[in-house]
Amino acid sequence: MADNGSVQAQVRNVAMHETDQVFPIDSSQKILAMDITIKNKTKKRQHFIPVNHLYVRSEEGTYSALHISSYATTPIPAQEIDPEETLNGQITFVVPSTVATSLLYVDTGWDKSVPLVIDVLH
């Protein structure tokens, strides 16, 4: 779990998958899938847009945006989040097969907060 005073995020059930039967990927890539919980800890309603607020970077410098996958059967929705409200869902990214560290960034900017960085593979 990570918290910056404005947003709280927790990831669970992190898994790497070699292929996706519905949305094929290149053999040099893997699918990084996880469950995520996002909580609005500010005092006002906030916009949450997963495609804008969530991404993965590696220590090697690679960047991965959200990617559609059959492993995200309940994707986290884009919506307004009231104070103290929590959202749950799944997110997936396509990352290089060789990546050793995947850092999930939760970068909402709510109340001018700094991004949360979660090492999801360790």
Side-chain angles (χ1 to χ4, degrees), residues 36-48:
I36 189 167
T37 300
I38 300 287
K39 181 177 183 179
N40 176 2
K41 296 188 69 181
T42 71
K43 294 181 178 168
K44 62 182 182 178
R45 177 179 267 199
Q46 299 288 353
H47 299 287
F48 179 70

Side-chain angles (χ1 to χ4, degrees), residues 61-115:
T62 61
Y63 170 89
S64 300
L66 278 175
H67 187 272
I68 191 167
S69 170
S70 62
Y71 295 104
T73 57
T74 55
I76 194 162
Q79 68 181 55
E80 301 269 327
I81 306 177
D82 290 323
E84 298 302 316
E85 184 179 3
T86 301
L87 290 179
N88 296 294
Q90 297 168 322
I91 54 176
T92 54
F93 302 88
V94 173
V95 298
S97 296
T98 57
V99 73
T101 303
S102 290
L103 303 171
L104 173 66
Y105 283 71
V106 180
D107 191 3
T108 62
W110 298 345
D111 287 351
K112 299 183 181 181
S113 61
V114 298

